[in-house]
Amino acid sequence: MFLPRRKSTLLALACCIALTLWYFNYIQPTLRPFTPSHASQKSSSQAQLPVEAVPAPKSPPQTPIQDHENTDPAPPSQPALWTEHKPKAQSTEHYPVKSLFTIPKGTPAKISNIQHVFGTETQDEKAEREERLAAVKESFIHSWQGYKKHAWKQDELVPIQGSYATTFGGWGATLVDSLDSLWMMDLKDDFKDAVKAIKEMDFSVPKLEDLNVFETTIRYLGGFLGAYDLSGGEHPILLSKATEVGSFLYGAFDTPNRMPITRWKWEEAKKGVKQEAFPNALVAEVGSLTLEFTRLAQLTGDEKFYDAIHRITNVLDDNQNKTVLPGLWPVIMDAQHAQFVDVGFTLGGMADSTYEYLPKQHMLLGGLTQQYKKMYEATLAPIMKHIFFRPMTPDNVDILISSGVRVNGNAEVIVPDFEGQHLGCFTGGMIGIGAKIFDRPDDMKTARRLVDGCIWVYNHTQTGIMPEIFNMVPCQDEECRWDEDRWLKFVATKSHRIEGIPEGLSDVEKGRWVAGKDRLPQGFSSIKDRRYILRPEAIESIFIFYRMTGEKKYQDAAWRMFTAIENYTRTDIANAAIDDVTAEAPGKDDRMESFWLAETLKYFYAIFADPEVLNLDKYVLNTEAHPLKRPTS
């Protein structure tokens, strides 16, 4: 949904609030975050500040990063980890940076290991594991061959018709997104074919008028960097192409306050039109660029890439305790004025990877700054209180679901929605990683309950697959015993979406009628979006938790999930999204997003592979599962 960019202040604010309330009440994102309305400016004293005057939490941006974080110890006098380089500002820039933030230098700090120390497996265990590994690899090859035959060098395969779609710039999103998966699965001939293909592609001219900077960053920039790192730097063309993409995207930061334009009209910028960031951007699309631009800066020595994302970090840091839920950022960010709009909070779509990247950026920077640790730990108390909830289930299991809250009226009333998203399943892995690297052992219990929660949802649908969006009934006391009447009353409260309900029914009778009509498994009060679009977030956290604990039951859970997904999504050409996980024979949607090969099958493969494959103590995985090499001491 789009609105004109030039509207009055009140209309702009009203549009932001209305869109987000509409989202929290009715839709919720089912793909990656939806495009927000581009309603225009509201007055702010920060709107037209020169670049070097953009406020930072504790000092102006031209101050070196160590001074900004006055809680950090002084950096040790060691040789620089990465070459410092200050490029000249391009003549075409309207708001050039005059003084760059630079990557923290020094010997990497000691960070606790993430991975479990695995022992020797029995012959039977090895045989079972390798059989499962081969099945996942076969599924990947099936989809990859379909892509090569019907959509080579295009963004996405259309897996039923056998055609292609241009969705992410027209630069071959699936091709680039799959590079490190090909290498990891030892499909070296296909890897070489893909590298040869990208040599011929121009990554400075997209085929779409509006470019999604976030998606381009995580899929293309992350894809090139991950393949370069995983292949040990054997293919310099991958870093060259990453630099090409990064340099192009850097133009989206040419705004008065250096906040990026998330949906970028790049042709206008190329013509010299001045740009401003949006007053109603999605926080995930602004706050989830750190890993990729930091790694690019590390590998090239070009500090401008790190400077670009560190300015965003400072804005997040400065505003973290100024929202209606101190510690958390709402889903809408006024990037034009470096402020936030308190309309709703979630760790699901529109916000997710902003939080995910906090502990991961700490690792990628070698622990040489405490800023990301401080920001991550500040999120935990409000997340535990307002976002995670324990649902009432018929088997009385102790699990957690990640949900969200709305802010009503004058931003004083917090309304929980008790709504789960498949997207939110990444939280188990995030909390687990934070528990390990920040020495918070009690948080591992929370991580386990979140991972087990997503497994529970998979296990309790007709297909054995988790839906996109669903509601459950929150526990009302610590014991949390199953109460069927209470469940049915909750179902009745969601019945406004159901037609044909008989009149004169009690709440319990109405709930029972709706549950039968709507095919609701016990425990679910509604399922707003019944699709499965080949998403990776559940297997992502299961993989991470298995690597942290070594518990085989998580491999077994992954295998059940994989076989269910393969059973219902496979086509003659590849794999396709399905429309209803509660149906006995769900229909297929004719789309296969690039993350199926980049993330979902990569995680399924890695959980059955040798623990050295995607070793979490050697790599940080971006939100598209691209492995970025961690610094070593």
Side-chain angles (χ1 to χ4, degrees):
M1 180 182 293
F2 287 86
L3 293 176
R5 294 190 62 189
R6 301 291 172 187
K7 290 287 183 181
S8 70
T9 298
L10 290 176
L11 179 57
L13 182 59
C15 289
C16 291
I17 295 173
L19 277 170
T20 307
L21 291 178
W22 169 75
Y23 160 81
F24 272 99
N25 280 288
Y26 298 105
I27 302 297
Q28 291 263 21
T30 55
L31 300 173
R32 294 283 183 179
F34 73 96
T35 304
S37 66
H38 296 164
S40 82
Q41 310 169 7
K42 59 183 180 181
S43 61
S44 168
S45 60
Q46 298 176 342
Q48 300 298 326
L49 288 177
V51 171
E52 56 273 16
V54 175
K58 300 180 180 68
S59 67
Q62 59 264 35
T63 306
I65 180 174
Q66 288 84 3
D67 292 339
H68 172 77
E69 299 160 17
N70 56 21
T71 59
D72 283 358
S77 56
Q78 299 282 350
L81 271 176
W82 308 290
T83 303
E84 183 173 357
H85 175 63
K86 293 189 176 183
K88 294 181 180 179
Q90 298 178 11
S91 59
T92 55
E93 283 190 305
H94 295 290
Y95 309 101
V97 175
K98 296 181 179 179
S99 181
L100 294 175
F101 284 105
T102 60
I103 297 174
K105 305 300 191 296
T107 301
K110 172 65 177 175
I111 298 176
S112 298
N113 286 344
I114 295 173
Q115 289 216 158
H116 174 75
V117 178
F118 288 85
T120 303
E121 59 189 345
T122 66
Q123 286 299 316
D124 288 345
E125 289 171 339
K126 182 178 181 181
E128 179 184 67
R129 177 180 61 78
E130 290 183 342
E131 181 180 0
R132 293 173 173 183
L133 185 72
V136 176
K137 184 173 181 177
E138 187 280 330
S139 178
F140 180 94
I141 292 172
H142 175 67
S143 288
W144 177 252
Q145 294 298 331
Y147 172 75
K148 285 182 67 176
K149 182 176 181 180
H150 299 283
W152 186 239
K153 297 203 294 187
Q154 303 300 325
D155 283 347
E156 287 182 6
L157 169 67
V158 178
I160 298 174
Q161 294 181 30
S163 58
Y164 64 83
T166 300
T167 49
F168 296 111
W171 288 333
T174 296
L175 179 71
V176 178
D177 233 0
S178 302
L179 285 168
D180 47 30
S181 296
L182 291 166
W183 183 273
M184 181 184 76
M185 296 184 190
D186 200 30
L187 299 171
K188 296 302 194 299
D189 289 341
D190 287 293
F191 179 85
K192 290 176 182 177
D193 290 343
V195 170
K196 182 179 179 181
I198 64 105
K199 289 180 181 179
E200 306 163 357
M201 299 170 70
D202 181 359
F203 290 91
S204 64
V205 182
K207 296 179 182 178
L208 296 177
E209 179 182 346
D210 288 357
L211 192 70
N212 187 315
V213 170
F214 163 72
E215 296 286 359
T216 305
T217 297
I218 66 171
R219 299 185 194 228
Y220 290 105
L221 182 53
F224 284 130
L225 293 170
Y228 179 81
D229 275 349
L230 196 64
S231 61
E234 291 183 16
H235 300 273
I237 185 63
L238 297 173
L239 181 56
S240 176
K241 289 298 181 181
T243 306
E244 186 179 334
V245 172
S247 298
F248 177 74
L249 292 174
Y250 188 74
F253 292 80
D254 186 21
T255 64
N257 64 358
R258 300 301 297 187
M259 293 298 103
I261 302 167
T262 52
R263 308 300 173 100
W264 184 34
K265 292 187 179 297
W266 60 274
E267 288 181 297
E268 292 185 6
K270 207 169 185 179
K271 293 174 183 176
V273 177
K274 290 186 177 182
Q275 310 170 103
E276 292 180 296
F278 295 145
N280 55 342
L282 302 179
V283 69
E285 294 189 343
V286 178
S288 307
L289 312 174
T290 49
L291 293 179
E292 298 82 2
F293 277 85
T294 295
R295 187 60 184 146
L296 184 60
Q298 290 173 348
L299 288 169
T300 63
D302 194 336
E303 298 275 10
K304 75 179 182 184
F305 297 119
Y306 179 77
D307 173 89
I309 58 88
H310 193 70
R311 293 172 186 274
I312 299 171
T313 297
N314 286 347
V315 170
L316 292 170
D317 194 353
D318 191 35
N319 286 273
Q320 186 170 16
N321 291 316
K322 297 177 182 178
T323 67
V324 72
L325 282 183
L328 303 183
W329 300 280
V331 295
I332 298 295
M333 177 182 180
D334 177 357
Q336 191 177 102
H337 307 97
Q339 298 172 347
F340 291 84
V341 183
D342 282 320
V343 288
F345 299 79
T346 180
L347 266 63
M350 305 200 299
D352 46 2
S353 43
T354 296
Y355 297 89
E356 173 193 352
Y357 274 20
L358 296 176
K360 291 183 174 182
Q361 179 76 344
H362 178 85
M363 291 188 287
L364 190 60
L365 290 175
L368 290 174
T369 166
Q370 295 302 300
Q371 185 176 19
Y372 291 94
K373 177 178 186 288
K374 173 180 71 72
M375 293 168 68
Y376 170 76
E377 292 187 329
T379 69
L380 294 178
I383 285 174
M384 303 297 182
K385 181 177 180 180
H386 297 286
I387 304 298
F388 298 160
F389 77 98
R390 181 183 175 185
M392 182 181 70
T393 65
D395 48 356
N396 299 310
V397 294
D398 184 11
I399 58 175
L400 289 175
I401 298 294
S402 181
S403 65
V405 295
R406 303 189 309 274
V407 180
N408 281 358
N410 58 359
E412 291 182 355
V413 181
I414 308 298
V415 182
D417 58 26
F418 304 117
E419 181 172 276
Q421 296 181 32
H422 198 293
L423 271 166
C425 279
F426 84 94
T427 53
M430 177 189 75
I431 297 295
I433 288 173
K436 288 286 188 178
I437 67 171
F438 298 135
D439 299 319
R440 302 175 58 92
D442 288 347
D443 288 354
M444 281 293 287
K445 300 172 186 176
T446 300
R448 182 184 295 276
R449 294 170 72 197
L450 287 163
V451 172
D452 290 349
C454 292
I455 293 172
W456 189 94
V457 175
Y458 263 86
N459 288 342
H460 286 79
T461 66
Q462 284 84 340
T463 56
I465 303 174
M466 187 179 199
E468 278 285 296
I469 303 173
F470 58 93
N471 290 85
M472 297 185 75
V473 181
C475 293
Q476 58 184 351
D477 54 43
E478 275 193 37
E479 189 176 4
C480 197
R481 306 301 296 175
W482 173 250
D483 183 336
E484 183 168 324
D485 284 357
R486 184 167 177 261
W487 165 60
L488 292 172
K489 288 176 182 178
F490 263 80
V491 172
T493 66
K494 305 289 184 181
S495 62
H496 60 279
R497 300 174 185 275
I498 309 298
E499 297 180 355
I501 300 175
E503 296 182 2
L505 299 179
S506 67
D507 285 345
V508 170
E509 292 169 336
K510 182 194 254 186
R512 183 170 286 111
W513 188 92
V514 170
K517 175 77 173 178
D518 218 21
R519 298 192 305 278
L520 291 178
Q522 284 190 329
F524 295 86
S525 56
S526 74
I527 301 178
K528 289 183 179 178
D529 188 340
R530 295 166 182 265
R531 296 177 301 152
Y532 172 69
I533 62 170
L534 308 176
R535 282 207 183 278
E537 293 80 16
I539 182 57
E540 171 186 347
S541 282
I542 294 168
F543 158 73
I544 291 171
F545 205 74
Y546 168 71
R547 284 291 181 88
M548 290 191 297
T549 65
E551 295 178 29
K552 187 179 180 299
K553 69 177 183 179
Y554 292 105
Q555 282 186 316
D556 295 338
W559 180 245
R560 291 194 304 272
M561 291 163 55
F562 171 76
T563 54
I565 291 168
E566 185 73 356
N567 182 45
Y568 287 102
T569 69
R570 192 173 177 109
T571 73
D572 291 340
I573 295 172
N575 289 74
I578 56 176
D579 60 9
D580 188 349
V581 300
T582 70
E584 291 184 5
K588 291 183 172 68
D589 293 332
D590 205 359
R591 189 173 186 190
M592 185 186 85
E593 283 219 44
S594 66
F595 54 62
W596 169 244
L597 296 178
E599 295 186 76
T600 310
L601 288 178
K602 181 183 289 169
Y603 285 126
F604 275 121
Y605 183 89
I607 199 171
F608 299 120
D610 186 279
E612 279 301 304
V613 174
L614 295 188
N615 187 323
L616 297 177
D617 294 318
K618 296 180 180 180
Y619 295 98
V620 172
L621 303 178
N622 87 331
T623 198
E624 196 77 1
H626 296 307
L628 308 178
K629 193 173 181 181
R630 293 173 55 178
T632 56
S633 43

